[in-house]
């Protein structure tokens, strides 16, 4: 009887664990995007100048440059599992100004188990990942 109960419980739990892993992949990718944006914001505040981040969502690649055109950083984030980055524009941009404000396009991280939106307060530059 005990083995039957354990077997039924295992059958119910395994699909839920698989969905949790996919959701974790989406969150992991969204946190990597957030990390890049936070680093760019910190650079803008430290240097007291505009810093721009541009993305190529389908590749997960980005570049960060200063207002004088100097390339500060570039790279590619690892798209975890089935996650992907999507935007309404082909090359989304985020311009962090010296005072902390930001002009930004939108970014979503999508996966099999859900989506995460990167939400940026344009007046403070604060960034957080919002489950959708």
């Amino acid at each position: 009887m005990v083995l039957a109960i354990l077997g039924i419980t295992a059958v119910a739990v395994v699909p839920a664990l698989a969905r949790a892993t996919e959701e974790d992949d989406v969150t992991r990718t969204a946190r990597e995007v957030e990390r890049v944006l936070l680093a760019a914001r910190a650079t803008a505040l430290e240097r007291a100048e505009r810093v721009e981040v541009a993305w190529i969502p389908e590749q997960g690649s980005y570049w960060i440059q200063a207002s004088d055109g100097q390339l500060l950083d570039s790279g590619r984030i690892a798209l975890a599992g089935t996650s992907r980055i999507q935007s309404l524009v082909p090359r989304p941009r985020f311009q962090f100004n010296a005072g902390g404000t930001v002009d930004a396009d939108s970014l979503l991280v999508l996966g099999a188990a859900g989506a995460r939106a990167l939400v940026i307060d344009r007046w403070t530059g604060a960034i957080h990942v919002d489950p959708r």
Side-chain angles (χ1 to χ4, degrees), residues 43-124:
T43 301
L45 292 171
E46 288 169 5
R47 296 172 66 131
E49 68 176 329
R50 183 177 46 82
V51 172
E52 182 176 303
V53 182
W55 287 91
I56 301 175
E58 58 274 8
Q59 296 175 359
S61 58
Y62 66 91
W63 62 94
I64 303 172
Q65 69 183 68
S67 58
D68 63 1
Q70 176 189 5
L71 184 64
L72 302 174
D73 188 21
S74 65
R76 178 179 284 182
I77 63 165
L79 299 174
T82 61
S83 62
R84 65 190 187 283
I85 301 171
Q86 187 172 351
S87 179
L88 296 174
V89 297
R91 299 292 177 259
R93 297 183 182 279
F94 298 79
Q95 292 183 348
F96 295 95
N97 300 305
T101 61
V102 64
D103 294 316
D105 293 320
S106 61
L107 275 184
L108 291 173
V109 177
L110 306 171
R116 303 289 180 271
L118 281 108
V119 179
I120 301 176
D121 184 321
R122 80 172 291 173
W123 300 111
T124 65

Side-chain angles (χ1 to χ4, degrees), residues 11-41:
V11 168
V13 170
V14 169
L17 288 176
R19 283 192 304 275
T21 302
E22 291 300 324
E23 187 172 337
D24 190 47
D25 289 344
V26 173
T27 302
R28 191 172 317 128
T29 299
R31 295 286 179 217
E32 282 298 309
V33 173
E34 179 186 36
R35 180 190 57 76
V36 169
L37 295 175
L38 287 170
R41 179 178 183 265

